[in-house]
Amino acid sequence: MTQILPAAGTLLIADPFLKDPNFMRTVVFLCEHQEEGSFGFVLNRLYDFTLDQLMASAEGMPLPVYYGGPVQVDTIHFLHQYPDLIPGGFEVAEGIYWGGDFETAVQLLRDNEITPRGIRFFIGYSGWSEGQLLNELKEKSWITSKGNQRLVFEIDQNAIWKEALKDLGGEYEQLINYPIDPQLN
């Protein structure tokens, strides 16, 4: 299977042998890819604190927050499926929106007008400088595929990496069973 080129909406699936502790066995959803750089969010690494522990405006809302990546870990971002209700978002892929009015999103959650199943919060993000991501792809650190709502909003964070590889089928599906360190086999 041929790798797809990175673009907004691409999933970066960590190669089973990628050792970088920030990205080992992760799936990153790219929100933007341009010549000057790229950024996205790790989908399958739960952060140690919930939204209400990080934001006073979300008091009483113990929603999960994911570790989006090692860059600007003092910022909160979100992906959602509610473009008609949360103004200011940007469509990254079909039915997947990045950002928008944070306070509106929190109020809609509080009022049960949107469900937590359709929104995902991240602390920090993953970023690549000019040419960095393309070099990592040449080094085969990442396997690429097209992002979709099912994986981006998957509740079981432990299933995302395996499911992303299963979706590719064939030889990729076999990677699920590879040990993290083949020398230990």
Side-chain angles (χ1 to χ4, degrees), residues 103-124:
E103 295 308 319
T104 297
V106 170
Q107 192 58 50
L108 289 166
L109 282 163
R110 190 177 303 287
D111 295 343
N112 294 315
E113 291 182 41
I114 63 174
T115 169
R117 178 94 170 101
I119 192 167
R120 186 170 278 218
F121 295 94
F122 302 91
I123 189 155

Side-chain angles (χ1 to χ4, degrees), residues 56-76:
S57 62
E59 183 181 348
M61 301 174 69
L63 299 172
V65 174
Y66 294 83
Y67 172 74
V71 183
Q72 288 189 340
V73 291
D74 59 347
T75 59
I76 295 197

Side-chain angles (χ1 to χ4, degrees), residues 17-33:
F17 306 119
L18 181 64
K19 297 279 193 263
D20 181 330
N22 289 305
F23 298 108
M24 191 167 55
R25 302 272 164 127
T26 62
V27 176
V28 176
F29 180 69
L30 276 186
C31 291
E32 191 170 288
H33 175 74

Side-chain angles (χ1 to χ4, degrees), residues 3 21 25-26 39 49 70 76 78 82 85-86 89 97 124 126 128 132 149 161 172 176:
Q3 292 268 56
R25 302 272 164 127
T26 62
F39 86 93
F49 298 97
I76 295 197
F78 63 100
Y82 303 108
L85 298 172
I86 302 172
Y97 297 81
S126 300
W128 292 264
Q132 185 181 7
Q149 290 179 329
W161 185 78
Y172 295 108
I176 295 166

